[in-house]
Amino acid sequence: MQLGAHCLRNGLFVAPMAGVTDRPFRTLCRRFGAALAASEMVSSQPELRASRKSRLRREHAGEPGPVAVQIAGADPALMADAARRNVDEGAQIIDINMGCPAKKVCNVAAGSALLENEPLVARVLEAVVAATGPMGVPVTLKIRTGPNPGQRNALSIARLAEQAGVRLLAIHGRTRACAFRGQAEYDTIAEVKSRLRIPVIANGDIATPEDAKRVLAHTRADGVMIGRAAHGRPWIFAEFDHFLATGGYLPPMGIAAMRAIVLEHLEGLYALYGELPGLRIARKHIGWYVKALPGGEAFRREANRIESAAAQRAAVAEYYARLAEEGLATSPTRSAPANDSCERLAA
């Protein structure tokens, strides 16, 4: 798939998730086959630009390209400025968030709240594309199917995006009002795909390779975007890629390989955030990694009480070594939760 000057390896995308898709996690997902992993959502508000949280969300040193940054806001001029600044800092793709239904985002008329104001949507898209176009940086957009089930205007938004020069559109198969309740619907995505020339990516309730195949067949989308299914399983992209290409399954991830991945992830978190903040952020990832493993819940509780990076690292290494000694060679398969939580999902 071509996106501006970038040739993407496949149609597998990582959903931007606040508190999850930082540089260490993105790097792992990319290594295991994800074509694109955008940053956590970055606000376009100037007063937030210098905060430590915003600065770390814009940290891309050593990250494999293309580097994609997701921005959010409702002011066309501020969004254009945010896009330019992020490109100056290394962004090679700018993604616009018009999909998050979280109150703290929608209360400032950003995220999926924008879907109710199509003229403003057009102005935001035109401003950002005009800002990045001369820099050779493509713009992508993430939306929902509409404000509510009675107003599914994804097709209208999609046409505005294509007319403005947006190069790729990702659609979550729920409305803003639905948040993450019920099941995603794909008919709207299929309709948008049938009417657009630019690539369309389907998102929502895609937890297994079989889900991806079914959704792609139903929508004819150009790819799928995966969120919570990748929690504690960054290698899921290799599994999806192999299944979609061959119809077969990769062997389960070995315990020794999993141990190395988790420890690398921890080191990345310590390096990015510092040891104390890093170990606290690592706790949720450890919980996801061990969730389906023997003794995983007990170990999660134990790990949550650890207060030093060295002790956390040692405990994780010992836990996986114990599993290997007990004869567990590979990880069991598990079904990830289907519904992404918008407190985490920033897209």
Side-chain angles (χ1 to χ4, degrees), residues 48-63:
L48 299 177
R49 189 177 299 139
S51 71
R52 184 173 187 272
K53 179 184 285 188
S54 292
R55 178 176 57 80
L56 291 176
R57 287 185 174 188
R58 303 195 306 271
E59 177 56 61
H60 310 290
E63 187 174 346

Side-chain angles (χ1 to χ4, degrees), residues 102-270:
K103 289 182 179 179
K104 62 184 178 182
V105 177
C106 291
N107 284 347
V108 292
S112 59
L114 278 166
L115 300 178
E116 295 192 70
N117 190 338
E118 293 184 15
L120 180 56
V121 166
R123 293 198 299 274
V124 168
L125 297 177
E126 290 164 1
V128 174
V129 171
T132 64
M135 308 169 89
V137 172
V139 174
T140 62
L141 173 65
K142 175 76 183 294
I143 66 170
R144 286 180 161 247
T145 57
N148 57 70
Q151 189 184 0
R152 287 194 169 99
N153 63 341
L155 180 56
S156 296
I157 299 292
R159 284 172 167 156
L160 292 174
E162 190 170 66
Q163 291 165 7
V166 168
R167 305 294 289 275
L168 178 144
L169 177 69
I171 309 175
H172 182 93
R174 292 181 177 85
T175 68
R176 173 194 172 186
C178 291
F180 293 93
R181 296 181 296 274
Q183 296 298 308
E185 61 91 7
Y186 306 111
D187 290 345
T188 301
I189 301 175
E191 180 185 17
V192 172
K193 172 57 189 173
S194 72
R195 306 288 185 91
L196 255 59
R197 297 182 299 276
I198 61 174
V200 173
I201 308 302
N203 174 233
D205 295 357
I206 301 172
T208 67
E210 293 85 355
D211 288 339
K213 183 177 180 179
R214 173 176 53 83
V215 171
L216 288 170
H218 183 89
T219 63
R220 304 297 179 186
D222 300 278
V224 293
M225 182 172 278
I226 302 161
R228 283 184 74 194
H231 288 182
R233 295 174 64 86
W235 54 83
I236 198 171
F237 295 94
E239 297 173 350
F240 275 52
D241 194 31
H242 184 79
F243 181 83
L244 292 174
T246 70
Y249 299 90
L250 290 175
M253 177 66 62
I255 291 298
M258 187 185 297
R259 175 181 181 272
I261 292 164
V262 178
L263 290 174
E264 178 185 346
H265 195 168
L266 297 188
E267 294 298 338
L269 293 171
Y270 305 151

Side-chain angles (χ1 to χ4, degrees), residues 284-298:
K284 65 184 171 223
H285 290 282
I286 292 170
W288 292 328
Y289 277 119
V290 305
K291 184 175 182 180
L293 297 175
E297 176 56 25

Side-chain angles (χ1 to χ4, degrees), residues 22-32 37 62-64 264:
D22 52 19
R23 186 183 67 192
F25 186 76
R26 294 194 305 267
T27 299
L28 286 171
C29 292
R30 291 295 309 282
R31 181 188 306 164
F32 284 105
E63 187 174 346
E264 178 185 346

